[in-house]
Amino acid sequence: MRKILVAVFAFLLFVGCYSSTTQGGLVGANSRQIMLVSASTMNESAAKAYVDTLKSARNKGALNTNPALTKRVQNIAKRLIAQVGTFRQDALKWDWQVNVIEEDTLNAWCMPGGKIVVYTGIINRLNLTDSELAAIIGHEIAHALREHSREQASSDQLKNIGIFAVSQAAGLDSGATNLLNLATHYTISLPFSRSHETEADHIGTELMARAGYNPNDAVVVWQKMSKIGSSSTPEILSTHPSNESRIKDLKEIAKKVMPLYLATK
């Protein structure tokens, strides 16, 4: 009888946490997700981790060192953020923050709740145009809209691995003890899955098209990325390099959302 009750409870828990965080948009990004970790926990963690990241950069004299570049990044992000309502209306009211850190790393990220950082390395070393930069930022915004960090944390909690396993072994509450590093771990340190990267490609390309940036430039970005040798794979590519199949997929998505871009002209 006990086993039956446990099974019923697990089923109800599973069903209750099995939903989609976004509307589909033109690209259809609304597959169901398992969410066991609360949105409030992830957002609180992100807010704390973001403040910590900015403080560290400021102490190193690396935060928003180039006013013109910072304004450029923020203006591009602003145009993209104006389009997030297509995928989730509540995101329009998020406390969006956009900052640039002077660091020679090929990376950018967006924490839960809209906390964005772009590193100067990815802009300078790839010589990104505004449209190409929009593809990068749009991709990162897409991860936040789909709450991929929260989804990965939930998956780990379900399997009792990573942060959650360590906390349980120590007899600690994972939500409280690891609040600060939860968002950092699942947004910056831990690579996103292949499916998450594909979803972010699709949503990000639609966002840039709706914001008036040529979606074909998303393809150009990943072509540039793919030319970087395997010995120095960009962090932004995670464990999934920009291979031929990814570029081919982006070309199809760019073609699909092109009418949205043309409608802005």
Side-chain angles (χ1 to χ4, degrees):
M1 183 65 180
R2 183 180 178 183
K3 289 183 178 180
I4 294 176
L5 291 174
V6 170
V8 170
F9 175 77
F11 174 76
L12 292 175
L13 178 64
F14 180 79
V15 171
C17 299
Y18 192 56
S19 60
S20 176
T21 56
T22 57
Q23 300 299 312
L26 187 61
V27 295
N30 59 347
S31 60
R32 290 190 172 257
Q33 303 163 284
I34 297 175
M35 296 299 194
L36 299 178
V37 176
S38 71
S40 60
T41 295
M42 287 302 298
N43 289 341
E44 185 178 353
S45 172
K48 291 179 182 296
Y50 194 67
V51 168
D52 207 49
T53 298
L54 297 187
K55 180 180 179 180
S56 177
R58 186 180 295 110
N59 289 341
K60 295 176 183 177
L63 182 64
N64 299 326
T65 58
N66 184 331
L69 180 60
T70 299
K71 184 176 180 179
R72 177 189 171 206
V73 171
Q74 292 176 338
N75 285 342
I76 292 171
K78 184 178 180 180
R79 285 174 59 175
L80 293 165
I81 292 166
Q83 305 302 320
V84 299
T86 297
F87 295 97
R88 51 186 303 168
Q89 281 291 316
D90 66 310
L92 290 169
K93 298 179 181 180
W94 285 359
D95 179 23
W96 291 93
Q97 297 181 41
V98 185
N99 287 278
V100 177
I101 293 179
E102 183 76 30
E103 187 175 307
D104 191 29
T105 180
L106 289 159
N107 203 14
W109 43 260
C110 181
M111 282 187 172
K115 306 298 186 290
I116 300 171
V117 160
V118 178
Y119 295 93
T120 55
I122 198 168
I123 300 172
N124 299 331
R125 291 170 62 186
L126 294 182
N127 192 26
L128 296 176
T129 65
D130 282 4
S131 191
E132 291 165 0
L133 184 51
I136 294 290
I137 299 174
H139 177 95
E140 298 308 319
I141 286 175
H143 280 308
L145 294 177
R146 282 293 284 166
E147 296 188 73
H148 284 152
S149 297
R150 182 181 165 212
E151 186 177 6
Q152 290 206 125
S154 297
S155 178
D156 278 6
Q157 186 179 58
L158 187 65
K159 293 179 285 189
N160 193 31
I161 62 176
I163 286 175
F164 303 97
V166 172
S167 295
Q168 183 167 317
L172 303 173
D173 174 59
S174 61
T177 306
N178 295 291
L179 185 61
L180 181 60
N181 65 7
L182 192 64
T184 300
H185 180 67
Y186 288 104
T187 303
I188 304 174
S189 304
L190 187 70
F192 285 114
S193 69
R194 183 175 294 277
S195 63
H196 287 169
E197 289 297 321
T198 298
E199 285 183 337
D201 281 349
H202 292 188
I203 294 174
T205 305
E206 180 167 341
L207 284 175
M208 68 182 294
R210 289 182 180 277
Y213 295 105
N214 191 330
N216 285 317
D217 285 331
V219 178
V220 175
V221 168
W222 301 113
Q223 287 173 332
K224 286 184 175 182
M225 292 280 198
S226 68
K227 292 178 181 178
I228 297 176
S230 58
S231 61
S232 56
T233 301
E235 290 179 40
I236 198 171
L237 291 180
S238 189
T239 57
H240 309 299
S242 179
N243 54 28
E244 186 177 335
S245 62
R246 184 173 192 174
I247 292 174
K248 181 180 179 181
D249 179 57
L250 272 169
K251 287 180 178 178
E252 291 301 313
I253 292 299
K255 187 185 304 181
K256 187 172 186 178
V257 301
M258 181 58 73
L260 297 175
Y261 166 65
L262 294 176
T264 68
K265 302 305 173 184

